[in-house]
Amino acid sequence: MENQEKKVMLSGIKPSGDLTLGSYLGAIKNWGARSEEFDCYYFMADMHAITVRHDPAALRRRTLEQLAQYIACGLDPEKNTLFVQSHVHQHAELAWVLNCYAMFGELSRMTQFKDKSAKNAENINGGLFTYPCLMAADILLYQPDVVPVGEDQKQHVELTRNIVQRFNGIYGDVFKMPEPYVAKVGARIMNLVDPKSKMSKSDDTNTGRVLLMDDPAVIMKQFKRAITDSDTERCVRYDPEEKPGVANLMQIYAATTGKSFDEIEKEFDGQGYGKFKPAVGEAVVEMLRPIQEEARRIMADKAYLEGVYRAGAEKAEYIANKTLRKVYKKVGFLPR
Ligand code: TYM
């Protein structure tokens, strides 16, 4: 196997909406700068984006934009394998096999399935239900050691681990057991005006969602109107239970600047929220400024992007195919 001495890392994001500050702080930011240590695979999970009704043209556009944004966030295509999920047909094929090793009860307990079916009562389709099997296939095809995800996806990686245990229990050591990696800070960025809900790509523009490519003026506006609390002291203190809005802003500021919660509390001691909220906004604007410039520059070069995703799919397919062949042999499919 290639890079046998290196451990493997893999993750993906579905292009179901424009990338948010949550996608960046909870996921992409933790992927970069790992390529020396790991053999890294990152993909655009376009097949996951069709479990809810969607606009095909927007999906195509976002898939390409997401690739440009991955690169702008520091994922060098020379050092990381960047690809589009639907370009590697082995994902769908392994997903079918894994469907047969995931239990109805397990899939029914997935929080995301319960949330999404409540929100899309008119379209609770089979894909929404078996989505975690496709995600398990995405992971297991590449035999990764580590899967960096935000808090909300950890349950799907845990289910993948159950599938590995069940499958390996029957057929021997076919899949490597993947470990989820959830960062200590930034793994659950909440909506700025509804700090009890996760900031999501599908949130409405007029709500407290910040996009990776939002204009600086829009970002500042969103932070200035972020919900804090009615605490009369207006004290910047980390208390997710009592002060979820402030805790979320502290998470964002900590993940953006690398400062600890203690340092942040001292920095804004006695200054109230009036100083704190724009300071968080400015830190985010400055962090995103070079990423946005680079993403726009890369997005203008379609030929370059095509080259990247073609090369990525070729490398990914080579590895994915090896795993799929092994699985097909184990389950008893007659070779062609
Ligand atoms: P998705 O597209 O919803 O989110 C992509 C990644 O971003 C993280 N994330 C967040 N982290 C912190 N705060 C937030 N508000 C926030 N919103 C999103 C997610 O936890 C995730 O890590 N099914 C997956 C995509 C996927 C995948 C995979 C991931 C498909 N196959 C294989 C890992 C491995 C999803 O829908 O993530």
Side-chain angles (χ1 to χ4, degrees), residues 12 14 22 26 131 135 138 149-150 152-153 186-187 189 198-199 201:
K14 59 180 180 319
Y131 176 118
M135 183 157 159
D138 299 337
V149 283
D152 63 315
Q153 292 297 324
I189 301 299
K198 188 191 77 148
M199 185 185 286
K201 292 189 239 66

Side-chain angles (χ1 to χ4, degrees), residues 55-102:
D55 171 0
L59 177 59
R60 241 184 318 271
R61 171 180 59 77
R62 285 196 183 114
T63 304
L64 203 61
E65 283 174 357
Q66 197 171 301
L67 175 61
Q69 290 163 16
Y70 276 5
I71 301 169
C73 289
L75 303 179
D76 178 352
E78 299 292 325
K79 297 183 178 162
N80 300 272
T81 305
L82 308 180
F83 65 100
V84 180
Q85 182 189 28
S86 64
H87 290 180
V88 182
H89 59 80
Q90 287 81 358
H91 288 245
E93 291 174 69
L94 182 60
W96 170 252
V97 176
L98 300 184
N99 267 318
C100 304
Y101 296 84

